[in-house]
Amino acid sequence: MGVNAEVFLYDEKFPPEPKTLMMFYKRLREVDVPEMMASIIAETPDKPWEYYRDMTRQLWDEARHAMMGEVGFVNLGIDWPKQVMINFTWSLALNTQLKPIERHAVLYFIEQGLMPKNGKRFEWEVGLASHNPLSALFQDYDWADEVLHARVGRDWYLKNFEDPKKAVQYGDHCWSRVLMNWAKWREEGLTQHRNWWPDTYREACKHWGVEPDPQVAAYSTTYEQVRADLKTISASG
Ligand SMILES: [Fe+2]
Ligand SMILES: [Fe+2]
Ligand SMILES: [Fe+2]
């Protein structure tokens, strides 16, 4: 959690081209979602068949979004397993600290937050502005799928509540109960929270045939202070 994608993505001083790298990273990181959805599905018995069908469709979408991120990096000649650091701490924390319905609440809370103008539409517009056709195409798919996921959330999570506002608040509450100890993981030697951004960006610049922009290369904001969801800026959607 050494590179904060959202702070970079929403900073107007940065151009769209390097932002496509941050979006590929965000897509790649979506592989954390199937990791927490699989446990919701497996640990929620006695639902109608349609529940398992919809939830499994969504699980597969999330895995596919991660593959779009992978393809984005490969297309730029970036050795992503070496250069781009992702982890599974979000799903690990959710799987070990929350009950299935609480996990679904967090998922709903995050996904319904992806729909405003500064969510998936913004990412798609950055993709278009970057002139990286893959980025625009991927964001188009990502947006469309997340619209469907919001519907899946309405059908299978929201209906447990009489008041939709309470359903959102419950998700927010469950999310804020999850302990993600950024500093402790580093102290225990589990991670370095390495800033992989400058090397990855320089690698992409080589592919683009441009000189790295020193201001972009110097970016070094981590997730130590900012929770990675839309409450502050954006979500891990
Ligand atoms: Fe997505
Ligand atoms: Fe989703
Ligand atoms: Fe997603």
Side-chain angles (χ1 to χ4, degrees), residues 125-148:
E125 286 169 351
V126 171
L128 285 181
S130 74
H131 304 295
N132 179 328
L134 272 184
S135 180
L137 182 70
F138 290 164
Q139 290 310 137
D140 198 359
Y141 274 99
D142 188 56
W143 185 9
D145 287 336
E146 300 301 348
V147 170
L148 178 76

Side-chain angles (χ1 to χ4, degrees), residues 21 40 60 87 106 117 124 137 144 169 173 175 179 181 183 204 212:
L21 302 174
I40 299 175
W60 170 238
N87 63 40
V106 172
K117 268 217 163 88
W124 175 67
L137 182 70
Q169 280 165 4
H173 169 76
W175 184 205
L179 299 173
N181 202 329

Side-chain angles (χ1 to χ4, degrees), residues 25-41:
Y25 164 58
K26 278 166 67 74
R27 298 291 70 81
L28 189 60
R29 203 176 54 181
E30 284 192 73
V31 78
D32 228 8
V33 186
E35 295 285 357
M36 61 76 87
M37 283 198 76
S39 66
I40 299 175
I41 296 167

